[in-house]
Amino acid sequence: MSTQSHTAAPIRLGTRRSALAQAQSGHVAAALEKISGRPVELVPITSEGDTNRASLSEIGGQGIFATRLREALLAGECDILVHSLKDLPTTIPEGLVIAATPVREDARDVAITRGGTPLHELRTGSKVGTGSPRRIAQVHRRAPHAEVVDIRGNVDSRLQRVASGELDAVILAAAGLSRLGTDSPLRREELGLSEWPTAPGQGSLAVETRSDAPAELLAALAELDDHDTRLAITVERGILEGLDSGCQAPMAAHAVVDGDEIRVRTVVYSTDGGRRIGLDVTETLNGEYIRRNGSGNGADAAGGADPMRTAREFGLSVAHRLLEQGAADLVSREHSSS
């Protein structure tokens, strides 16, 4: 395949092999083909997260799906990657850039049951499946009499464990279900973001490429980028980054851009769900928070405002407030008793 003829050369999109990863990569591929006028081909890559069956809470969810894909991108095996943003560590490796964050899908979690019993009404001893430390803590709070079962596996296998009666409920991301177009007789309970905030970046995709990618590829990817989505996830990831060094407890953060304001809801939980520290903060997107190419307080030496840098700093300041309120202490009891 010659990369000389830019008009015809396919754009190679690296993706995990799971049905969900291929589905969400397919959505991006279709949009990019329209913008660029070039075919986009999927390059399936096996990540550690796809082969290591250990619990996510043991091996650490962050990065296990991304590392192998990023190695392939840096080695030139593909031209772009599509990630679920919530799986990406906050540090972007040297030589790579998140070139687009398309419009965010539904950021909520859903509880899936056979009969539609709400999570908080599940009987004592009911089995609820999830492998996420955040969701485990939230289930403990919402359904304290239920038993949490640590599970891995793709969406279909999780749904099957509910359908078969092995589990009474599983917690899944709404965005994943809609991207897969899953048609199931099982019942869904949407979990509201005010009481059940989700992981930083949940519902969002990140399109990553090399910093030295051809200008026309970067320009095509820029057309996929949604400014408000990027602002919101930059705040959320700023909170995660700020907590990372000071707090290993399960956490959630969800930000929304509404007119000239950005609102963020963030909670840090103890691992058993018994305690939590939460903040709701609203910032105005003017002055420091200039959205596009304005000048003023947010202007820096590069000329023009950098709203993303300011959004990250806002997230870091929220994390600092959480730590001041004792967020890092939420795991200390569990760690000292082990």
Side-chain angles (χ1 to χ4, degrees):
M1 173 176 66
S2 163
T3 51
Q4 299 306 308
S5 96
H6 283 305
T7 47
I11 298 169
R12 298 164 302 157
L13 188 163
T15 175
R16 288 172 56 205
R17 293 175 180 271
S18 74
L20 175 55
Q22 301 236 16
Q24 60 197 26
S25 294
H27 289 303
V28 172
L32 188 55
E33 283 183 338
K34 273 188 191 159
I35 290 166
S36 67
R38 290 167 61 185
V40 178
E41 64 181 30
L42 299 190
V43 179
I45 298 164
T46 302
S47 74
E48 185 200 346
D50 297 310
T51 55
N52 187 333
R53 304 319 301 164
S55 159
L56 279 185
S57 52
E58 283 172 29
I59 52 180
Q62 286 269 312
I64 64 159
F65 298 117
T67 305
R68 171 69 192 100
L69 275 70
R70 285 171 155 174
E71 288 168 359
L73 179 59
L74 286 166
E77 295 169 36
C78 54
D79 303 305
I80 62 173
L81 301 172
V82 174
H83 306 278
S84 288
L85 192 61
K86 70 181 173 71
D87 295 332
L88 276 193
T90 53
T91 304
I92 306 298
E94 188 75 26
L96 298 182
V97 62
I98 293 179
T101 54
V103 175
R104 180 181 218 153
E105 290 234 17
D106 190 342
R108 292 176 296 181
D109 277 345
V110 293
I112 306 285
T113 57
R114 285 184 301 284
T117 304
L119 206 52
H120 68 276
E121 291 180 13
L122 286 175
R123 293 191 313 275
T124 300
S126 296
K127 291 183 167 60
V128 181
T130 178
S132 149
R134 168 188 61 82
R135 289 173 177 156
I136 291 168
Q138 289 172 318
V139 171
H140 283 316
R141 291 188 70 83
R142 178 73 68 98
H145 306 300
E147 177 190 335
V148 180
V149 179
D150 194 342
I151 60 168
R152 290 286 310 278
N154 62 33
V155 170
D156 283 342
S157 72
R158 294 179 192 215
L159 295 175
Q160 183 53 40
R161 291 173 77 169
V162 176
S164 71
E166 181 189 342
L167 297 172
D168 297 291
V170 291
I171 312 296
L172 297 170
L177 289 170
S178 74
R179 286 187 185 119
L180 275 172
T182 303
D183 186 25
S184 164
L186 297 172
R187 308 291 290 278
R188 299 170 51 140
E189 177 193 0
E190 269 85 15
L191 302 168
L193 288 163
S194 58
E195 273 305 300
W196 189 288
T198 50
Q202 182 155 317
S204 297
L205 299 177
V207 186
E208 193 170 43
T209 189
R210 291 185 297 280
S211 316
D212 61 359
E216 63 266 37
L217 177 58
L218 290 169
L221 293 175
E223 290 193 47
L224 292 174
D225 194 59
D226 180 67
H227 189 80
D228 286 356
T229 296
R230 189 180 278 258
L231 267 177
I233 62 97
T234 300
V235 172
E236 294 164 15
R237 284 166 65 78
I239 297 170
L240 180 62
E241 180 187 350
L243 287 176
D244 227 25
S245 54
C247 174
Q248 287 79 48
M251 64 81 67
H254 181 69
V256 177
V257 176
D258 183 10
D260 65 352
E261 290 185 335
I262 188 155
R263 298 193 310 273
V264 63
R265 163 90 171 133
T266 181
V267 183
V268 179
Y269 301 90
S270 61
T271 47
D272 63 1
R275 294 178 295 160
R276 66 175 177 178
I277 293 171
L279 284 174
D280 288 285
V281 188
T282 300
E283 268 298 344
T284 307
L285 286 164
N286 57 24
E288 277 289 306
Y289 289 78
I290 299 167
R291 290 173 119 194
R292 300 170 209 271
N293 309 328
S295 62
N297 297 337
D300 59 24
D306 181 358
M308 298 309 159
R309 190 182 70 180
T310 317
R312 174 176 168 265
E313 287 167 359
F314 172 39
L316 290 171
S317 74
V318 172
H320 183 68
R321 287 173 60 182
L322 287 166
L323 291 169
E324 281 185 333
Q325 292 185 24
D329 301 335
L330 291 188
V331 283
S332 57
R333 282 189 315 184
E334 290 82 358
H335 280 244
S336 59
S337 64
S338 59

